[in-house]
Amino acid sequence: MEWTTQSNNLSYSVVLVMDNIVNKVQISGRIIPRTYSTRTVEFG
């Protein structure tokens, strides 16, 4: 469900509940937070 009372032209991004919140780089073992983008704003 989506509810909008006004638009701020930031577009939108779909974030699935089942997405991992971090990614692990296989070679180095580093953990990197997952980020999402609307082409205007990037968030994680």
Side-chain angles (χ1 to χ4, degrees):
M1 181 184 300
E2 181 177 320
W3 180 271
T4 304
T5 57
Q6 61 185 354
S7 176
N8 57 9
N9 296 326
L10 294 177
S11 191
Y12 66 92
S13 180
V14 175
V15 178
L16 300 176
V17 174
M18 61 190 140
D19 276 354
N20 293 329
I21 59 170
V22 295
N23 294 316
K24 184 176 182 181
V25 179
Q26 294 291 350
I27 297 171
S28 66
R30 290 183 54 209
I31 295 178
I32 302 171
R34 181 179 294 266
T35 58
Y36 299 90
S37 176
T38 65
R39 295 187 200 152
T40 306
V41 174
E42 185 173 302
F43 58 97

